[in-house]
Structure formats: structure tokens, C-alpha cells
Amino acid sequence: MRNAIPVLVLGRLSSSLVTLFLVSLVIFAITSMLPGDTAQLILGQFATPDQVAALRTELGLDQPALLRYWHWLSGFMTGNLGMSASNGVSVTQLMSDRLPNSLLLAAITTAISVPLALIMGITAAMRRGGAVDRVLNLVTLSMVAVPEFLVATLAVLLFAVKLDWLPALSYVSTVESFGDFMKIYAMPVLTLCCVLIAQMARMTRAALIDQLDSAYVEMARLKGVPPMRRVLRHALPNAVGPIANAVALSLSYLLGGVIIVETIFNYPGIASLMVDAVSNRDLALVQACAMLFCSAYLVLVMMADLCAILSNPRLRNR
Amino acid sequence: MNEFRAMTHPRTNSRRRVTTGSRLPVASPARRNRPRLHLIRWVGLGLFGFWVLVAIFGPMLAPHPMSAFVSDEIYGGASTANLLGTDYMGRDMLSRILTGARYTVGLAIIAALLSSLIGAGFGMLTVLLPRWIEECIRRVFDTLISIPSKMMALVMVSAFGTSIPLLILAAVLSYAPGAFRIAHSMATNLATLEYVQVARTRGEGKLYIAAFEIMPNMIQSVLTDMGMRFVFIVLLLSGMSFLGLGVQPPAADLGSLVRENIGGLSQGALAVIAPALAIGTLTIGANLLIDSLSTSRGSQKE
């Protein structure tokens, strides 16, 4: 049993890989169920049948689906994601231009939301049933159900229209000082944080309360350990795993949230690239972006599971 | 993975917590049994019920046809003629919201019903099917659950173009797996209980066991779960419409109303705030209602 952790971790990694493979199959299947349409789409409805046929051969659309899937998949391994149909630039190029912007937005949001959410969640768990907990419960319960564009609209209305502190649109190219930086990121980050913090705080509270309900905390209470110490020294160390799990799972929400936020604030990130690609029906770009998002999602979920595995003392102390 | 989709952490009210929770008396019985004012529940029910009524009767109550140009003023403010102002083409906003709510609520209810029917149906039946079929079905749903719902919808729209049946299909493909997972784990537990064994020994058929032994014991949880899915599907579909990839003009759901009037945001137009608030109140109301129902059911068992 000494090897329990490596075995579990490896098992989890390989199951993620299998899932990613299956996900790629699903994405490819959906996007290539209409084999004739792609060429027609690119050329428009006035193309002659000859042109369409020529483009189909050029794109390899006349090959059987399984072979095309193989080419597509091997393209991923080598970083050759094909050409974007709408503007003729390679997909890799387009994506690598946009990816750092999205990662920066995600990093700032994470750096702000995680500490706040942990504080809120832990406070609520410590004051369970009290006024603070009830208010936080109501607020977070409402916030998790709010669509991003409502938060974004209200934020623009308040900070850009009424108070005139911030510009309504984001342009990353004009960063010159810290003030510019704040102006650009304040509202997208605020919007993303709202829902993320609510989600994370709720899960943190639940994870900690799970520990507070256990027998050893009751024991500590019976032997007279003061409440603060009971939470911070007894329950919290044991809740680290579940809380890390909750944080990683909540962060996967970011993947859905950025799509709306990048669009509404004109933020030049990977999600707005994908939305444009969907509008233009640029399938190669959509496939690549979807794979990127799904992999990111799988990685976050896997990290959540790994946190749970690694922090389980029953496995660690064997 | 499903925790991501459940709005409240599923373990919050798990059976384990309810039965092994603190054994210390938290309050005297008299105080514990005091009838509580379910403020959150009534607020939730009020908001949710209001939007359901609007979805049913809204189009009949609308003062103007949804696409009638009633005013020369675009992004007009509230007035006696147009209670919620006018939109970017001078159409009456109140009428458009009253009509649009039907799409938002209706599509989400259909998709949530289908998700739960498919998810819970498979979840229940797989327990009774041979092992290898169960594994295959589980693998399929596990794969689908690993694709974030917005990704699924975007990929499908990019391939087939947007239409209402496609949006419903995308929502069902995204949210049925979660329903399946929850129903499956519940049904697995229920299938090991004595009364199911008794029914099996009695020689009952699989369908009978599923319909009369297992289902009645999980229907409440399935319904709560369906409510949760409803909220997510409203958010997904209005998000898609907001991106311009959902319900297409001339029809408009609340998400499309936000999108088409977003140009008025810089002047603080009511036309963009009203539909956004409408979606917010609908989803918040539904979420408050579901949470209060599921929490109180949990505490009844205590």
C-alpha cells in the first residue's frame, strides 16, 4: 500500500487522457457531420460546383471521416492546427496572439477571488446560523444565479456612465501606467469575480462545515477548546483538501464566464476569438478553441481530484 | 465534476451530513419546532411564479405587438405610454419583454424537462441493465459532462447554425449527463435496499421495479435537480442569445433583448437594463426557491 498515491494519481491522469480523447472525438464528430457544407460555407452560395469540389479536395474533405479525424488529431500533437477559413492565417498564430491576454485576465481574477472567497467561506462556516452567515448565504445564493451580462451591464452603468471612472470598453494595447492597467481590467475582473467568489465561498463553507460536523471537532468542543482555535487548528487543516478541491472546481467556471465577459468588454482574448469564429463558422478555429477550453476544464477538474487524493491523510500516512 | 454544475455544493445537504451531523442539541425542541418564516422561499416563489405567469399570459397582456414601432424616440426612458421605455428601433420594451419571457422560460423548461427525463430515466434503468451496457452508457455521459455547456452550444451552433431545436438539443446534451450522474448514484443505492430485493424475488419485471420501487423514492431529488438544471439552462440560453448565437430575430428572448439594445448602455438606457434584470430576477428567484426547498427537506429528516 506504500504506492497508493502514485497509483491513484497515475490512474487519474490516464483517465483524464482517455476522457480528453473521447471529447476530441465528440467535438470532431459534431463539427464534421456535414462534410459537404464546409467548402460551400467558405465559398458562399454563389460558388460553382467545380470550385466547391476543388476546395473540398484541397481541404481533404473527400477523404473518409476516420482519416480526417486522424489527420486532425495528429495535427494537434504537432501544433499544426490548420488554417483559419475566414482570414487565411494559421490557427496556431491566431490563438497564440490571444492566449496570453486571456491567461492574464484569468490570473488576475484568480488572485483576487480566491483569498476573498476563502475569507468569506471560512467566516460563514465559523458563524454558522448567525446573522453574518445568513446574509452571506443569501448574497452568494443570489450571485451564483446571476448572468454575467447583468453584472457587466450594471458595472458599466455605475462606473462608466454614472461615475465616469472607467472606460466602458477594454483595449489592452494602451497600457502605459498602472492606472491604465486598472482602468482596463477593473470591470472585466469585477464581473468575473462576482459569480466566482460566490460559488467558491459556498463550496468552501460546505467543505469546512463538513469537518466541523465531525466527531473530532465535537470532541475538541467537549474538552473546552475555544471556537476560534477549534476552527483554525482542528478543522481547517483537515479541510484544506476539500477546499482546494472546491477552488479548482469553481475556477472551471471561469471558462464559461470569460466567453461573455470578453465579448461584452471587447477584450481581445481567446474566448472572443472563439465567439467570432462561431459567428463566421470558421470550423478549424472553433475546433481548436473548443479543444483548448475542454482541456483546460479537464485539467482543473483533474487538479481538484488530485487535491482530494493528495490531502487524504489516510493515503498519505500509509 | 458535477459539483461544478450544482449551484450549491451537493454535499451541503447530503444524507451523510444529515444523519451524522452534530448530536449536540442545538436548541430546545420547542425552539427548534417553532414555525419558521420562510422568507427566502416566499421571495423565490414570488419571483419565479411571477415569471412563469408572465411566460404564460405575457403575450396576451402586452400593450403593443412585439415588433410594432410605437415611438420615434429610440432608447426612450420610462413614460406613461411606454412603461419600460423604447428599444433601439423605437419599439415598446414592456411588450417585448412580456413576449420574450415566453422564449426564455419556455425553452428552459422544455430543455430541463428533457434533460431530467433522459438523465434520470437512463440513471434508473442502467442499474437494472447488464453491467457492460451500464459501463458504456456511463462512459458516454462522462464524456459529455467533460465538455463545458457553453462549449457544447458554441461548437454545435458553429457546425449547424443556430435554431431553437438545436439550442434545446445542446442544452440537453450538456445537462442530461449531470442529471444522469445524480440519478444513477441514487438508484444504485436504492437498488441494494431490501424492498427492491423483495420485489426482485417476487419475480417483478425490471420496468416494474424501476417505476414502482425505485422511482417514487428518488422523484423528489430528481425534481430538485431539475430545478437546478432549469436555472443553468436559462443562463446558458440567454448567454447564447446575448452572444447573438441563440434565438434569432424577429423572435427574441430576454438574452437577445439585452444584446440588441447593448448600444444604449453608454446612455444608461432602460432598454438594456430591464431585460438583464428580468433574467437576473428569474434565475435568482428559481435558485432561492430550490435551495430553500432542498434545505428544508434535508432538515426534516433530522
Side-chain angles (χ1 to χ4, degrees):
Chain A
M1 285 309 282
R2 177 166 278 280
N3 297 332
I5 287 187
V7 168
L8 280 173
V9 169
L10 277 179
R12 192 64 192 76
L13 285 175
S14 53
S15 99
S16 295
L17 271 179
V18 171
T19 312
L20 185 60
F21 171 74
L22 292 172
V23 165
S24 77
L25 204 60
V26 172
I27 290 177
F28 185 82
I30 294 175
T31 44
S32 23
M33 248 185 253
L34 303 169
D37 256 16
T38 319
Q40 190 80 53
L41 259 173
I42 295 170
L43 294 173
Q45 62 187 103
F46 299 112
T48 62
D50 286 347
Q51 281 173 313
V52 175
L55 188 67
R56 286 190 64 185
T57 323
E58 192 190 318
L59 293 174
L61 288 176
D62 48 355
Q63 289 164 348
L66 217 57
L67 199 64
R68 277 186 289 140
Y69 175 66
W70 170 247
H71 284 313
W72 182 68
L73 202 63
S74 52
F76 263 101
M77 306 296 170
T78 55
N80 172 23
L81 304 178
M83 300 297 268
S84 157
S86 52
N87 45 16
V89 185
S90 87
V91 171
T92 326
Q93 180 66 38
L94 278 173
M95 285 175 69
S96 56
D97 286 349
R98 297 287 195 100
L99 191 58
N101 290 338
S102 287
L103 288 178
L104 184 61
L105 183 63
I108 299 173
T109 310
T110 311
I112 292 175
S113 60
V114 171
L116 277 176
L118 290 185
I119 292 170
M120 281 169 69
I122 293 170
T123 317
M126 283 169 69
R127 302 248 182 278
R128 170 150 56 133
V132 177
D133 183 30
R134 296 235 291 277
V135 170
L136 277 179
N137 178 43
L138 185 63
V139 171
T140 53
L141 195 57
S142 308
M143 284 311 299
V144 287
V146 163
E148 296 87 5
F149 50 82
L150 175 58
V151 183
T153 346
L154 293 179
V156 170
L157 199 68
L158 182 64
F159 295 115
V161 180
K162 297 274 185 240
L163 296 173
D164 206 17
W165 288 350
L166 300 163
L169 304 172
S170 295
Y171 290 111
V172 171
S173 52
T174 56
V175 177
E176 275 160 15
S177 65
F178 184 69
D180 286 349
F181 186 80
M182 283 293 292
K183 276 184 182 167
I184 289 163
Y185 282 97
M187 278 197 292
V189 169
L190 176 81
T191 310
L192 280 173
C193 277
C194 270
V195 188
L196 190 59
I197 289 178
Q199 175 95 13
M200 221 184 275
R202 288 189 77 77
M203 289 171 79
T204 307
R205 175 184 180 274
L208 191 54
I209 278 184
D210 221 34
Q211 293 295 323
L212 288 175
D213 276 344
S214 59
Y216 70 85
V217 175
E218 210 166 304
M219 180 67 210
R221 179 175 173 181
L222 290 175
K223 73 180 187 195
V225 179
M228 196 69 168
R229 193 179 158 81
R230 217 156 57 213
V231 173
L232 296 182
R233 295 297 301 273
H234 291 250
L236 203 55
N238 287 304
V240 165
I243 288 177
N245 179 306
V247 168
L249 283 177
S250 312
L251 284 180
S252 63
Y253 152 81
L254 266 179
L255 299 173
V258 287
I259 297 178
I260 305 283
V261 167
E262 287 190 0
T263 310
I264 198 168
F265 291 111
N266 281 336
Y267 186 86
I270 199 103
S272 53
L273 180 71
M274 179 170 182
V275 172
D276 291 342
V278 173
S279 311
N280 300 332
R281 303 186 73 173
D282 187 346
L283 288 181
L285 193 50
V286 172
Q287 285 171 335
C289 290
M291 281 304 289
L292 184 75
F293 274 97
C294 290
S295 330
Y297 180 64
L298 279 173
V299 166
L300 281 172
V301 172
M302 191 179 72
M303 271 167 34
D305 283 3
L306 289 184
C307 286
I309 293 175
L310 292 176
S311 66
N312 187 340
R314 265 165 288 188
L315 294 169
R316 195 171 51 217
N317 294 340
R318 281 256 164 74
Chain B
M1 206 178 295
N2 194 51
E3 282 92 325
F4 166 61
R5 306 203 165 175
M7 288 223 158
T8 50
H9 195 275
R11 263 189 288 171
T12 323
N13 301 309
S14 70
R15 181 169 302 144
R16 197 174 75 80
R17 231 201 86 212
V18 170
T19 50
T20 64
S22 173
R23 279 165 294 278
L24 296 169
V26 283
S28 66
R31 203 178 144 203
R32 221 178 343 176
N33 294 338
R34 188 177 58 184
R36 284 177 45 214
L37 181 67
H38 292 291
L39 187 63
I40 289 188
R41 178 177 307 174
W42 288 111
V43 171
L45 188 66
L47 288 174
F48 180 65
F50 171 74
W51 283 111
V52 170
L53 289 180
V54 167
I56 299 171
F57 301 110
M60 290 172 229
L61 297 174
H64 302 280
M66 143 177 207
S67 49
F69 303 97
V70 296
S71 166
D72 293 334
E73 195 189 3
I74 59 167
Y75 297 130
S79 64
T80 44
N82 310 104
L83 282 176
L84 288 177
T86 51
D87 75 347
Y88 74 117
M89 288 168 80
R91 291 174 292 194
D92 180 41
M93 215 45 219
L94 178 64
S95 311
R96 288 183 72 74
I97 289 181
L98 287 176
T99 323
R102 178 173 278 188
Y103 281 97
T104 301
V105 177
L107 288 182
I109 284 184
I110 294 172
L113 259 176
L114 283 175
S115 303
S116 282
L117 266 180
I118 293 172
F122 272 105
M124 217 158 51
L125 287 175
T126 45
V127 175
L128 305 164
L129 289 174
R131 181 106 201 145
W132 65 273
I133 301 182
E134 183 185 340
E135 274 307 310
C136 288
I137 294 177
R138 244 177 61 185
R139 197 69 245 182
V140 170
F141 279 117
D142 271 0
T143 307
L144 289 177
I145 215 174
S146 311
I147 304 177
S149 58
K150 283 210 181 85
M151 279 304 126
M152 177 68 90
L154 285 176
V155 167
M156 288 183 68
V157 167
S158 75
F160 302 110
T162 185
S163 64
I164 284 174
L166 185 100
L167 288 172
I168 292 180
L169 180 66
V172 170
L173 277 181
S174 299
Y175 287 111
F180 168 80
R181 214 177 243 206
I182 289 174
H184 183 259
S185 74
M186 268 191 304
T188 315
N189 289 336
L190 289 172
T192 58
L193 294 181
E194 282 91 350
Y195 60 83
V196 179
Q197 307 287 346
V198 170
R200 225 173 245 161
T201 323
R202 214 160 59 214
E204 304 288 3
K206 286 183 172 170
L207 274 176
Y208 176 88
I209 293 182
F212 293 98
E213 303 286 347
I214 294 183
M215 199 185 64
N217 289 293
M218 51 188 275
I219 189 78
Q220 263 196 328
S221 312
V222 169
L223 288 178
T224 316
D225 177 64
M226 190 171 87
M228 209 75 96
R229 289 189 197 277
F230 169 80
V231 175
F232 283 113
I233 292 171
V234 169
L235 291 178
L236 171 71
L237 294 184
S238 45
M240 289 301 285
S241 289
F242 175 75
L243 295 174
L245 304 166
V247 176
Q248 295 296 309
D253 70 346
L254 296 175
S256 340
L257 292 181
V258 180
R259 176 189 173 79
E260 61 189 26
N261 294 309
I262 198 81
L265 187 56
S266 54
Q267 27 182 313
L270 200 51
V272 55
I273 300 157
L277 276 179
I279 301 170
T281 47
L282 166 65
T283 46
I284 290 175
N287 204 30
L288 293 180
L289 178 64
I290 295 154
D291 186 77
S292 88
L293 289 177
S294 60
T295 329
S296 72
R297 227 190 35 248
S299 58
Q300 270 165 19
K301 287 183 204 148
E302 251 170 346

